[in-house]
Amino acid sequence: MIHLDETQLLRHAGALADLLTDTVNGGASVGFLAPLDRAEALAWWEERAADVTAGRLAVWAAHDGDRVLGTVSLAFPAKPNSRHRAELVKLMVHRDARGRGLGRGLLTTAECAAAEAGVTLLHLDTETGSPAEQLYRSAGWTAIGAIPDYAASPDGELRPTTIYYKRVPATALTR
């Protein structure tokens, strides 16, 4: 896994856009509707560069040559009373690379980085009933409930979303 700074994010934005379009067009609910145009996906990734530079977002990518097979990000809140937590966002694995532990590796990378940064609480949301739920549960995340009709799936159907959290003691995770 490579932790991307602004320059690396922009250099890999095309490969990240390819991953995002594959993820959305494959039916995963990550905030976009299908079919996702590559230009829209590219613009979205390029817009993240300022957040990376400002320290509001940390992005990791798993590569196979020039191809990005997976990514995960941590979004850090700006509020002074929230600096102990972060949101796990955009955990994506290319359809061709699923089932090989890459999602687990990306999740562990983000959890370890959070612990190293002094973050003690992580949270995320994911489509209820999605394959991602098994990953989060098996990694020790706790579901706290579902919100009906929270977001549209890539095909436009309103779907429920389950909210998860995980306490991340700084001493509990090692690489």
Side-chain angles (χ1 to χ4, degrees), residues 5-174:
D5 62 20
E6 176 186 17
T7 302
Q8 292 166 319
L9 180 97
L10 291 171
R11 182 178 26 203
H12 296 292
L16 288 162
D18 292 339
L19 172 63
L20 180 56
T21 56
D22 174 76
T23 302
V24 172
N25 294 338
S29 181
V30 291
F32 298 87
L33 298 176
L36 179 61
D37 179 72
R38 187 178 188 275
E40 181 182 353
L42 179 61
W44 185 86
W45 276 109
E46 289 172 342
E47 291 168 5
R48 307 283 77 76
D51 290 333
V52 168
T53 299
R56 293 183 298 264
L57 185 69
V59 180
W60 291 266
H63 292 268
D64 181 15
D66 291 335
R67 189 171 172 222
V68 173
L69 298 179
T71 188
V72 67
S73 299
L74 289 175
F76 301 98
K79 299 174 199 164
N81 72 341
S82 304
R83 296 205 174 115
H84 66 287
R85 65 178 161 90
E87 182 179 7
L88 187 107
V89 294
K90 300 296 185 270
L91 174 58
M92 297 181 276
V93 174
H94 195 283
R95 285 180 281 179
D96 294 345
R98 292 183 186 158
R100 294 186 253 162
L102 185 55
R104 172 75 58 156
L106 288 161
L107 185 58
T108 300
T109 295
E111 291 174 358
C112 289
E116 290 169 7
V119 169
T120 58
L121 181 66
L122 292 171
H123 63 97
L124 63 85
D125 66 83
T126 192
E127 183 179 336
T128 304
S130 71
E133 282 198 290
Q134 176 58 35
L135 171 64
Y136 299 131
R137 284 190 191 115
S138 69
W141 288 71
T142 301
I144 61 171
I147 302 170
D149 298 338
Y150 185 79
S153 63
D155 66 4
E157 178 185 342
L158 290 179
R159 301 277 303 139
T161 292
T162 302
I163 309 297
Y164 285 84
Y165 76 91
K166 185 173 187 179
R167 293 191 183 278
V168 186
T171 58
L173 293 173
T174 58

